Amino acid sequence: MSIVIVKMILICMFTFSAAIKWLRTGSMVQHWRQYRYPMWFMSVIASLELAGAAAIVASWLIPQLAFYAALLLAALMLGALHAHLVRAKHRPVMVINALFMLALSVTLMVIK
């Protein structure tokens, strides 16, 4: 898979994820309550997701940013796995997207 495709998927997915958190969609609020995190923390996570996506965009001009953006997004996905499986006790199927985004983030970190 081309690194450009990896970057585009990460940019789109994390921008979308940030948007639904900022918009406080019903499903996101429901999940956040299940995670037992304060609602203000949703905005923090959304901001970090958008910062990661923006850094990937900027990595076309400053290639070194790709590694740090991917590292940030991978850390967020590890947190998402914890939130789903440990805090909310969701079924494993609920983490498929987070696992995929984690895999793409790690791919971006190791492929230069």
Side-chain angles (χ1 to χ4, degrees):
M1 182 178 338
S2 167
I3 199 66
V4 172
I5 294 171
V6 170
K7 285 182 174 184
M8 293 305 295
I9 292 170
L10 288 169
I11 291 164
C12 291
M13 291 298 291
F14 282 101
T15 300
F16 175 76
S17 180
I20 66 174
K21 285 178 180 72
W22 277 327
L23 293 171
R24 299 286 198 264
T25 63
S27 64
M28 193 52 55
V29 169
Q30 178 186 1
H31 279 187
W32 218 255
R33 287 186 179 131
Q34 292 170 350
Y35 305 150
R36 299 181 318 273
Y37 289 134
M39 285 297 152
W40 62 263
F41 193 55
M42 191 184 317
S43 296
V44 171
I45 297 301
S47 298
L48 290 171
E49 289 174 342
L50 192 60
I56 292 173
V57 170
S59 75
W60 273 297
L61 295 175
I62 307 167
Q64 300 85 346
L65 285 177
F67 175 83
Y68 297 105
L71 182 63
L72 169 63
L73 297 177
L76 289 172
M77 289 303 92
L78 290 173
L81 293 172
H82 177 267
H84 280 291
L85 296 174
V86 177
R87 294 184 66 93
K89 307 224 183 307
H90 287 156
R91 296 174 310 158
V93 71
M94 293 294 290
V95 300
I96 291 172
N97 183 55
L99 284 171
F100 183 56
M101 292 303 108
L102 176 60
L104 290 179
S105 297
V106 170
T107 299
L108 185 56
M109 283 192 296
V110 297
I111 295 179
K112 308 239 186 284

